[in-house]
Amino acid sequence: MSFDSLIRKYAPFIGCISLILLTHQRQTLMLAWFILPFLAIAYFIELVKCATGQSNWHEVRLRLLCWVVSFALIFAIHEYRWQQDRKQLNAIAAKITAFNMQQKRYPDSLKEIGLHAVRSEPHIGYKLQNGQATLWYLDSKQMYAFHYYHFETRRWDYVVP
């Protein structure tokens, strides 16, 4: 088997692994959505080749299964990350609210409520301005979108600039 045919045979698997490695990063799910139309066109062409006898059904199904599993894994990673972020930020919001009820003011920083490691996570933000607290975190699924917590209503808003 030549090098060219090996690359041609295993390119979808290499592509799947590369896509998973790239899109597991925060806010890169859009990359997967960008690739999806090209994959749909490529596999439509492969299905036509299979119908005309130019390609093997078994190989096409195996490569398609690889892509489907990859996309499912990518979406599962981002959904899990979203749930973990929301759980962590709900706990932070509860600590800020408790601090406000006890001290009758919002904390100047997250360090004041005992959270030191949060500043090392760039996707989380807290700011005190004119006596009003602002808590937010970047969305894992869409670039430039974030979740913003309203301390008055005690609910999250999803903001896409």
Side-chain angles (χ1 to χ4, degrees):
M1 192 176 265
S2 70
F3 181 72
D4 185 45
S5 62
L6 279 174
I7 292 294
R8 210 175 281 268
K9 183 175 183 177
Y10 294 111
F13 303 109
I14 295 168
C16 291
I17 292 169
S18 301
L19 185 65
I20 291 169
L21 290 174
L22 287 173
T23 58
H24 89 281
Q25 297 294 323
R26 194 167 285 287
Q27 295 184 311
T28 55
L29 184 64
M30 290 180 71
L31 179 62
W33 285 114
F34 176 74
I35 291 172
L36 196 59
F38 296 106
L39 284 174
I41 293 168
Y43 276 95
F44 177 75
I45 293 169
E46 284 291 324
L47 290 175
V48 170
K49 285 182 180 180
C50 286
T52 60
Q54 296 174 349
S55 287
N56 184 355
W57 282 102
H58 179 69
E59 288 182 15
V60 172
R61 285 189 306 216
L62 186 61
R63 286 182 284 186
L64 186 59
L65 177 66
C66 176
W67 282 110
V68 168
V69 168
S70 296
F71 273 89
L73 185 59
I74 290 165
F75 290 119
I77 288 168
H78 283 277
E79 184 63 26
Y80 176 77
R81 182 175 284 145
W82 178 84
Q83 289 176 3
Q84 292 304 310
D85 286 349
R86 180 57 63 97
K87 184 193 285 185
Q88 179 185 12
L89 270 292
N90 279 337
I92 292 171
K95 284 184 179 187
I96 293 171
T97 302
F99 183 92
N100 184 28
M101 292 210 167
Q102 186 180 34
Q103 302 286 331
K104 303 296 185 223
R105 67 176 181 86
Y106 287 108
D108 294 328
S109 70
L110 293 177
K111 289 181 182 177
E112 201 170 344
I113 59 171
L115 298 171
H116 303 286
V118 174
R119 291 311 300 157
S120 66
E121 297 185 42
H123 68 281
I124 296 174
Y126 174 78
K127 185 174 167 182
L128 183 64
Q129 190 172 24
N130 298 330
Q132 293 296 319
T134 306
L135 181 65
W136 71 90
Y137 69 99
L138 293 174
D139 188 40
S140 170
K141 298 175 185 173
Q142 185 171 343
M143 293 181 81
Y144 310 118
F146 62 95
H147 300 268
Y148 173 78
Y149 188 75
H150 294 280
F151 285 98
E152 301 82 32
T153 59
R154 294 187 179 162
R155 66 179 185 86
W156 289 97
D157 278 342
Y158 183 67
V159 180
V160 181

